[in-house]
Amino acid sequence: FALIPALHASRLDLVSLLNESPGTGPSGRRYLSRNGLVVGQLCISLILLTQSGLLMKSFARSLQADVGFEKKNMLLAQFALGIYEYDGNQARAFFQTLQERVEALPGVKQVSLARRFPLSLSGGGRAQQVFFPGEPAPQNIKYNAVGQNYFQTMGTRILRGRNFTSLDFGSNAKVVLVSEAFAARFWPKED
């Protein structure tokens, strides 16, 4: 917005402007474009101020939103072992050692593992084709693989059913916990 008036001012003949008598200044046309730029600048500034105010209000509300897990006194860390070419057994050994060492740190209350942490940018996690009774085609279901004590560590309440036990890990048993929205979608009006 300042570029056009600056270019216009650089072309002015200052000597002729100083020699003009009062009341005989440049015509209104000369300043029409400059006034239009000022009005445009004010309009855009007002829009930007309004948007930044709304952004700050949304940010403040997001800090108070119930996201389904405890947000205070928690540390989340992400590891990408694929770049080190770990195979499945090496990755399991790494995470087992990591969990044991972190649990031994002073001040640590609980530690758990998950393939994907909450609110991550991974697009909702991995997907699995699942067949449901009465459904003609399999459904593409997003899931997260978690370790023991994950829900206690995250501060997430289990509304119905049970939590994972040590018998659920390392076996061929397929045990899942589903969200309330998932249960309402696939088993409406059922317990």
Side-chain angles (χ1 to χ4, degrees):
F1 282 101
L3 184 61
I4 293 174
L7 289 174
H8 183 66
S10 68
R11 288 184 277 165
L12 285 178
D13 183 17
L14 295 177
V15 174
S16 64
L17 283 175
L18 289 174
N19 289 334
E20 289 180 5
S21 61
T24 61
S27 67
R29 288 185 194 164
R30 177 182 268 178
Y31 292 102
L32 185 60
S33 64
R34 187 179 306 164
N35 290 340
L37 287 174
V38 170
V39 169
Q41 186 175 10
L42 285 172
C43 290
I44 290 178
S45 297
L46 182 63
I47 291 170
L48 290 174
L49 281 171
T50 304
Q51 287 180 341
S52 62
L54 290 173
L55 179 69
M56 294 302 290
K57 188 175 181 180
S58 296
F59 179 70
R61 283 188 178 174
S62 71
L63 292 176
Q64 298 171 352
D66 181 16
V67 291
F69 61 91
E70 183 62 42
K71 297 180 285 189
K72 295 180 181 178
N73 300 321
M74 183 170 302
L75 173 67
L76 298 173
Q78 184 175 5
F79 297 92
L81 298 183
I83 60 175
Y84 299 110
E85 299 178 2
Y86 277 40
D87 65 14
N89 292 331
Q90 289 173 320
R92 276 189 286 282
F94 170 80
F95 284 119
Q96 180 65 35
T97 304
L98 174 70
Q99 186 170 357
E100 291 168 359
R101 288 184 178 178
V102 172
E103 284 173 341
L105 293 173
V108 173
K109 293 180 181 175
Q110 274 186 315
V111 177
S112 188
L113 300 171
R115 182 175 301 277
R116 180 180 67 86
F117 60 87
L119 306 177
S120 66
L121 300 176
S122 66
R126 294 182 178 228
Q128 175 74 39
Q129 293 282 322
V130 177
F131 290 90
F132 289 94
E135 293 283 331
Q139 300 289 320
N140 198 26
I141 304 298
K142 300 268 184 163
Y143 72 94
N144 188 14
V146 300
Q148 196 169 357
N149 298 326
Y150 174 79
F151 295 103
Q152 294 94 331
T153 303
M154 295 301 293
T156 302
R157 291 184 309 121
I158 297 176
L159 300 176
R160 297 218 176 138
R162 66 171 179 85
N163 197 357
F164 296 116
T165 67
S166 59
L167 299 175
D168 297 326
F169 295 94
S171 68
N172 290 332
K174 305 285 184 179
V175 181
V176 298
L177 274 75
V178 298
S179 69
E180 195 172 18
F182 182 94
R185 177 179 171 197
F186 292 105
W187 302 291
K189 300 179 183 177
E190 291 184 37
D191 188 358

